[in-house]
Each structure stands twice: as C-alpha cells, then as structure tokens.
Amino acid sequence: MYYRLNAVTQRLTGAPATVYNPQGLRPGVPSVRPPPVFVSPTKLASEAGSQVEYLGANRVPDLQKVFQRSDGVPVHLKRGLIDKLLYRTTMGLTVGGALYCLVALYIAAQPRNK
Amino acid sequence: MAHQAHAYHMVDPSPWPLTGAIAALLMTSGLAVWFHFHSTTLMILGTILLLLTMFQWWRDVVREGTFQGHHTPPVQKGLRYGMILFITSEVFFFLGFFWAFYHSSLAPTPELGGCWPPTGITTLDPFEVPLLNTAVLLASGVTVTWAHHSIMEGERKQAIQSLTLTIALGFYFTFLQAMEYYEAPFTIADGVYGSTFFVATGFHGLHVIIGSMFLAVCLLRQIHFHFTSEHHFGFEAAAWYWHFVDVVWLFLYISIYWWGS
C-alpha cells in the first residue's frame, strides 16, 4: 500500500490516483488477472497470433498471490517445503562448517615439531 | 504491506547475512589450510555455502520486489544508489591494478632491461585476438542497449533475443580469452610483466563471467514476465555492470595490450 501523509493535518489521506502500482499488485482485490501489461497496447490477440504466447504464459499474478498470503511466514520460507529444505541444508553447512573451521584453525595453531 | 504507512521496505528477518559471513570465514581460512596442509575441504565447503547464500538471498530480493511489491520508487532509488556505489568500489579495485602496471612500466628497472616490455617477453599482438575481443565486447554493449529498449517498448521476443545475443557474446569473449591464456608465450611467473598482465586481465575475465551470469538471470526473469516496461531495475543494474566491464576492458586494451607492447 502507498499512503500519503498530510504534514499539516498529520493525517493519512487515501491513496492518490497516481499511486505507484507495481505490476498487478492490488491489495484487497480478489484474485483477478490483471490486464496483460507485457503486450504492447496496439497489438490485439488476433493480430499478434503466434506472438501472444512466446516461451510460456505469465505466472507472475499466481506467484504474487502465493507470496502475499498473510500467514506471517518470512519471505525466505514462503514457498513451503523446498524453501525449508534448502534453508536447513544451508544452515547445517553454516553451523557444521563454522565448527569444522574452528577445529581446523585450532589444529593449525599447534606448533610443528621439527 | 497493507499495514505500513510509509513507502519503505522493512525486510523480513533473514539468515543469509549470517550464512554469507560464515562462508567468507570458511573460504579465507580454507585458503590458508590449503596453502599449509594441502586440504581443499574447508575452502570448497565455503564456496558451496557462498553459492547457496547468493542464490537464496537474491531469490528473496526477486520475491520481495516482483511478487510482494516492496520495490516502490523510494526503495528503487536506494537500490540504484547501492548499485552505483558498488560499481564505484569496483572501479577503485581495478584502479589499484592499473596503478601497479603503470608503476612498473613507466620506469622499468634495470632488472627488466630498463625497457618495457621487459627483455625476453614476447607480447601478444594487440591487433589479433585482443582486437577481436574489443569488438565482441563493444558489440555486446550495443545488444544490451537494444535489449533495454525492447523491454521498455514491451517487445518481449526482441528483448529475449537481444539479451541472449549479449550473453552469447560474453561467453565468446571468455572463450577467446581462455584460448589466449592457454597459448600465451609468457606466464604469471614471468616477472612483473606476467604478474600485472594476468592479475589485471584475470580479474577482468572474472568480472565478465559474473556479468554474464547476472545477464543470464535477467534473461530468465524476462522469459518469466518479471520485467515490465516501466519497472525492470534488475536488468538496468546488470546493464550498468556490463558497461562497466566493457569500459575496464577498453582501458586494459589501450594500456596493457597496446601501449604496453
């Protein structure tokens, strides 16, 4: 959301007509596909023909729905299981690696007897 | 975002700065362990951790911007400042190596024969592969600008094609440079000429690879409809970085390959 604060009255005014609206982001509006902003406005589906779908359809609105769910999950875990697995692997390597590093440095610090 | 009364981005708590810092620790101490104990385990572990961190951190930035709408104009302005400052720091990085080159080459010591190129060094002909490399990078600068205009005009197919061409040219440069490294009549161990040549061009080559990867990610994002004609800062950042890489090459070519031969 993008509000405007009136500095004089110290009150929030509603979103102005020229509010910044990133692609398809419409908070509070139920899932409706936004108009295709990726095709130039002068091109009609009938005219564009084979150009309408080039290398797959636009899945961004669906992904926006997924990532804007108000479930309190942080963004790095928002996709569910795959995120959790990757996070745990990374954290495992981080903690394990840090311990391995400390051990290696301790060993490296031992004097070498000639 | 429906709950904030400002246009700025309060990020979710994230583990990636910690994992990135530990990755740096493992890579550096791993380097020391490799030098003294001939074991690469720690360093490789650090590199894997670094790659995992980069993938997940930047994946999250894409999620926050494209899918959650956090990259409002003030936020984007901050991102622009950030990229400009980062590229500036890289300029200073290369400045150091150019300083080293000019220090050694403007007043060559008696040990080198009092001349530059030093006695015994067969330099590369600047008008052969190095000139081709210059043409390749300049052409890639044109194609990346073409890609930018295609994105701004909503020309999806052209944007994908020109961006693919840019990346192909980047890979072609890397391939040609690798061939040159293999065929070169001198090595990094050949005195200060070898050191300055391979360290400066080597770091440049690394930046070409990094830039190509950045552009490749942008290509994937363009294919997946992440960019709009109004908002595509990720691509702009990649294009800025690519132009920086191109300019560094021009300085390298003029200084080391041409003047230094």
Side-chain angles (χ1 to χ4, degrees), chain B residues 66-139:
Chain B
T66 305
F67 304 140
Q68 296 186 331
H70 282 294
H71 291 181
T72 59
V75 171
Q76 205 192 118
K77 194 169 166 199
L79 292 169
R80 284 174 188 272
Y81 273 128
M83 193 65 196
I84 301 256
L85 289 170
F86 171 65
I87 292 177
T88 307
S89 77
E90 295 252 76
V91 168
F92 281 106
F93 178 72
F94 276 98
L95 227 55
F97 296 120
F98 277 102
W99 183 352
F101 170 74
Y102 278 111
H103 174 93
S104 309
S105 59
L106 284 170
T109 62
E111 288 86 350
L112 303 173
C115 56
W116 193 274
T119 314
I121 294 283
T122 340
T123 60
L124 299 170
D125 187 340
F127 299 110
E128 291 190 352
V129 175
L131 186 59
L132 173 60
N133 273 341
T134 307
V136 166
L137 280 187
L138 286 173

Side-chain angles (χ1 to χ4, degrees), chain B residues 3 41 109 134 144 153 209 225 235 241 247:
Chain B
H3 310 291
T41 313
T109 62
T134 307
V144 81
E153 285 153 31
I209 292 167
F225 297 89
F235 172 81
Y241 195 80
V247 169

Side-chain angles (χ1 to χ4, degrees), chain A residues 1-3 12 20 22-23 25 37-38 40 43 51 54-58 60 63-64 67-68 73-76 78-79 83 86-87 90-91 93-94 97-98 100-101 104-105 108 112, chain B residues 1-2 4 7 12-13 15-16 19 22 25-26 29 37 41-42 45 49 52 55-56 59-60 63-64 66-69 71-73 154-157 160 223-228 231:
Chain A
M1 291 292 278
Y2 185 35
Y3 294 97
L12 293 173
Y20 173 72
Q23 56 156 322
L25 176 61
V37 298
F38 313 104
S40 123
K43 284 196 176 86
Q51 282 223 7
Y54 183 73
L55 289 178
N58 187 1
V60 171
L63 288 163
Q64 283 172 340
F67 283 101
Q68 287 172 41
V73 176
V75 71
H76 68 277
K78 203 91 171 169
R79 211 104 199 247
D83 285 357
L86 209 50
Y87 165 73
T90 309
M91 227 8 146
L93 285 176
T94 303
Y100 179 49
C101 179
L105 288 174
R112 291 247 162 275
Chain B
M1 309 119 328
Q4 68 185 45
D12 290 337
W16 312 131
T19 61
I22 298 293
L25 169 68
L26 297 193
S29 49
F37 302 100
T41 313
L42 199 54
L45 188 56
L49 199 51
L52 281 170
F55 172 74
Q56 290 173 98
R59 173 208 67 190
D60 289 352
R63 288 178 173 181
E64 290 158 359
T66 305
F67 304 140
Q68 296 186 331
H71 291 181
T72 59
E155 293 275 356
R156 174 175 164 77
K157 196 160 147 189
I160 290 170
I223 290 171
H224 287 108
F225 297 89
H226 289 199
F227 299 137
T228 71
H231 188 167

